[in-house]
Amino acid sequence: MDLGLLGGFDYLGQNYPPLDFEIVKAIDNDPYCTKIYNQNFQHRCEVMDVRSLDISKLPDFDMLIGGFPCQSFSISAQNPPRLGYKDERGMLFFEMVKILKEKQPRFLIAENVKGLLSANKGKAFPMIIQEFEKAGYHIKFKLFNASEFGIPQKRERVIIVGFREYSDYAHFSFPKPTTQFNKVPLRRVINESDNCNERLFFSEKAVAGMMLVRDKMNKGRAQSLDKPCNTISSHLAKVSLNSTDPVLFINGRYRRFSSSECARIQSFPESFLWDSVSEAKQLKAIGNAVPPVLMWHIANALETTVNRPIQTDIKPIESASYEFPNGNWVQLSLFESETIYISKQGNQYVLIGTCRKGIIDWIKQTSKYCYPISEEEIERHPELLNVSRIMIRHKKNVIGFFEVSATDVVVKPELKAYGYPTRSSRHKADTKYLLFSLEQSGLPMRDIDFNSFTPIMGKGVSI
């Protein structure tokens, strides 16, 4: 995370310029990770358990960044239920909250695994967000796939960004994918010389054992060199053919990745040094890392927010009445999906979307609008990621006219943490949604040519 935050490195021929951040304190409880860190950064990292940190002695700082274990949370049987922890690892999250409450930095960035969204049957994540909010922060979060940002790995991670000031929150947008439709293949980071390194290849005994149980266990995860790699983990040094770890199949034989290949899969630059610790310790540190390139994109988006002119007069959403020209826009069937209509007006994409009655209050309270979408529909209609204006309606009533400040693709548990009423939704947990962040326009779209709109999703028809 720190390397991405600072920037100033090259990866696969792409330069990631320095960003305007400075590290004032870094701690880690792993002495080997700390040794690697201190080999690469000017600021020294201290070996320390965060629970022994004297918060009152911390220097003033603008941003707290880090990660915390997600497997350790419990939901206490109270009314209302509360977030607790199953073991001492769960305490680390609350240490982060303690620092926020006492020091009140301007920003927060927290990273975690995708499983955080579904932990404790989906109950833990909303409470984690609530704890950050109770510490005084406005929260945005997104599930990222590293392969969409120039990284040859399908690593999915939740990024949580917190803002002390509402004006920062209102104007921050998560970065848009750079390689959503042209992902970097694994072969770009593979060492040809490692294909001759016998130490990396599995023994005939290991292969025979995997083959005996392969049909039952779905193991032996040989990777395609023409696609991004599956997620690599912290037990790379102990990778086996009977685990879920990705491996390579070269000339009829299985081999594991070398440490230099793993570092590239995680998007570390060639200039990053690892030789201060053993290969096993290198692999553990690499597997636990946040891809620096992904963090650079997030930090760059935050820097853009800091440096842009701040608008503080965002108006609350209000209802509007409007008569559609050329008749009404209607649904073909009550039993089909709601329809959205899109039109290109000059250099802008304009969208007309529908909503059900049960989410009108949610739209008004959160300034957000969502619509279920598939991967195929995203690929077929990439213009949906560039919509700049929206009119939202329920039946014949217009909910409002809006400018779009940001567009994300999220999954259902993320919507739930935004307070979306998912109980009445029939969509599955892995359903993807377009999520538009809205700003009240206040101006009816009377300058829009309604005859140019076409229905592109759902089963609707215009008359």
Side-chain angles (χ1 to χ4, degrees):
M1 294 182 82
D2 286 1
L3 179 59
L5 193 74
L6 296 177
F9 62 89
D10 295 317
Y11 176 70
L12 295 183
Q14 176 76 36
N15 178 252
Y16 295 89
L19 299 175
D20 195 20
F21 295 100
E22 175 189 2
I23 301 167
V24 296
K25 190 174 183 67
I27 65 171
D28 196 291
N29 73 334
D30 188 318
Y32 300 102
C33 289
T34 302
K35 198 169 184 178
I36 297 170
Y37 186 103
N38 289 336
Q39 191 180 9
N40 290 280
F41 294 91
Q42 291 184 349
H43 185 88
R44 309 296 288 179
C45 181
E46 302 173 44
V47 180
M48 182 186 296
D49 186 325
V50 69
R51 291 170 296 182
S52 64
L53 185 67
D54 187 343
I55 300 174
S56 65
K57 294 183 179 180
L58 284 176
D60 290 333
F61 59 95
D62 296 303
M63 180 161 60
L64 178 67
I65 71 173
F68 52 89
C70 84
Q71 303 92 341
S72 312
F73 292 113
S74 64
I75 303 299
S76 302
Q78 300 183 19
N79 191 17
R82 294 184 179 179
L83 184 68
Y85 44 87
K86 297 176 183 177
D87 57 50
E88 63 178 13
R89 292 177 302 166
M91 298 172 64
L92 301 180
F93 166 73
F94 293 99
E95 295 300 323
M96 205 170 188
V97 173
K98 283 182 187 177
I99 296 172
L100 291 173
K101 287 181 176 178
E102 185 164 337
K103 298 299 293 185
Q104 288 288 292
R106 184 174 175 181
F107 302 110
L108 151 76
I109 300 180
E111 179 266 357
N112 221 294
V113 298
K114 178 183 179 180
L116 185 67
L117 296 174
S118 55
N120 297 101
K121 298 181 180 179
K123 295 179 181 179
F125 188 64
M127 292 189 180
I128 289 169
I129 299 302
Q130 288 173 15
E131 291 294 330
F132 282 138
E133 290 174 339
K134 286 191 288 187
Y137 289 81
H138 307 282
I139 301 297
K140 290 187 177 183
F141 54 87
K142 182 173 175 58
L143 178 65
F144 281 88
N145 188 319
S147 70
E148 296 181 349
F149 290 86
I151 301 165
Q153 182 186 185
K154 295 177 283 190
R155 192 182 193 90
E156 291 186 292
R157 291 296 184 266
V158 178
I159 300 294
I160 301 169
V161 183
F163 308 84
R164 188 188 63 206
E165 307 298 333
Y166 182 80
S167 57
D168 288 330
Y169 165 85
H171 290 89
F172 175 79
S173 296
F174 279 113
K176 293 184 178 181
T178 59
T179 56
Q180 187 171 10
F181 306 117
N182 56 328
K183 296 181 179 179
V184 177
L186 178 58
R187 68 171 64 254
R188 290 204 53 190
V189 295
I190 295 302
N191 297 327
E192 288 296 326
S193 59
D194 283 331
N195 290 334
C196 302
N197 187 346
E198 283 297 320
R199 188 174 55 84
L200 297 176
F201 284 87
F202 291 96
S203 67
E204 291 183 6
K205 182 178 179 180
V207 174
M210 180 270 290
M211 290 299 183
L212 288 174
V213 295
R214 189 175 188 182
D215 292 339
K216 295 180 181 179
M217 300 181 65
N218 191 27
K219 305 300 181 182
R221 307 293 285 274
Q223 302 298 292
S224 168
L225 292 175
D226 297 318
K227 298 178 180 179
C229 182
N230 285 356
T231 302
I232 60 175
S233 66
S234 61
H235 49 83
L236 285 165
K238 301 178 181 179
V239 63
S240 76
L241 287 173
N242 288 328
S243 70
T244 58
D245 300 296
V247 296
L248 290 173
F249 189 65
I250 305 294
N251 297 326
R253 301 175 64 195
Y254 290 93
R255 77 165 174 88
R256 64 180 177 86
F257 297 104
S258 66
S259 58
S260 61
E261 288 172 331
C262 290
R264 292 195 201 106
I265 289 171
Q266 281 281 58
S267 77
F268 280 94
E270 297 297 317
S271 58
F272 202 86
L273 303 176
W274 302 94
D275 58 4
S276 59
V277 301
S278 69
E279 184 185 43
K281 300 301 183 184
Q282 293 175 32
L283 290 168
K284 180 181 178 182
I286 293 168
N288 274 329
V290 175
V293 166
L294 177 59
M295 184 63 185
W296 183 90
H297 282 286
I298 295 162
N300 184 52
L302 191 62
E303 182 178 277
T304 301
T305 299
V306 172
N307 292 334
R308 70 182 289 178
I310 299 298
Q311 175 189 351
T312 59
D313 59 344
I314 296 177
K315 299 177 181 178
I317 298 175
E318 299 175 356
S319 298
S321 58
Y322 187 74
E323 282 296 323
F324 286 96
N326 305 318
N328 294 320
W329 297 57
V330 299
Q331 282 301 119
L332 185 64
S333 168
L334 293 175
F335 301 101
E336 298 289 352
S337 302
E338 296 281 8
T339 309
I340 56 176
Y341 304 81
I342 198 165
S343 172
K344 189 171 185 181
Q345 310 281 332
N347 60 354
Q348 290 186 325
Y349 283 104
V350 182
L351 184 142
I352 296 178
T354 58
C355 72
R356 53 190 173 89
K357 185 176 182 180
I359 66 166
I360 293 176
D361 286 342
W362 178 78
I363 293 172
K364 292 180 178 180
Q365 292 165 8
T366 64
S367 295
K368 295 187 183 298
Y369 172 66
C370 67
Y371 193 92
I373 190 171
S374 67
E375 288 284 357
E376 293 75 20
E377 286 169 328
I378 295 174
E379 292 185 12
R380 196 160 59 245
H381 296 290
E383 65 271 20
L384 285 168
L385 301 175
N386 296 298
V387 169
S388 57
R389 301 176 71 185
I390 289 182
M391 178 176 71
I392 302 174
R393 62 191 179 86
H394 169 62
K395 296 183 178 179
K396 295 183 179 181
N397 299 317
V398 176
I399 306 304
F401 302 86
F402 309 97
E403 302 294 329
V404 177
S405 60
T407 305
D408 291 324
V409 178
V410 303
V411 291
K412 188 174 178 180
E414 293 177 88
L415 283 183
K416 186 175 181 181
Y418 279 119
Y420 183 77
T422 57
R423 180 175 296 178
S424 59
S425 173
R426 60 184 179 275
H427 297 293
K428 298 179 179 179
D430 60 353
T431 299
K432 288 184 168 58
Y433 291 80
L434 283 169
L435 181 65
F436 298 99
S437 297
L438 310 174
E439 293 182 10
Q440 178 76 20
S441 170
L443 299 174
M445 295 184 187
R446 299 189 186 278
D447 59 330
I448 297 299
D449 177 11
F450 283 88
N451 292 318
S452 67
F453 282 85
T454 56
I456 65 171
M457 292 197 306
K459 304 295 182 182
V461 62
S462 61
I463 57 172

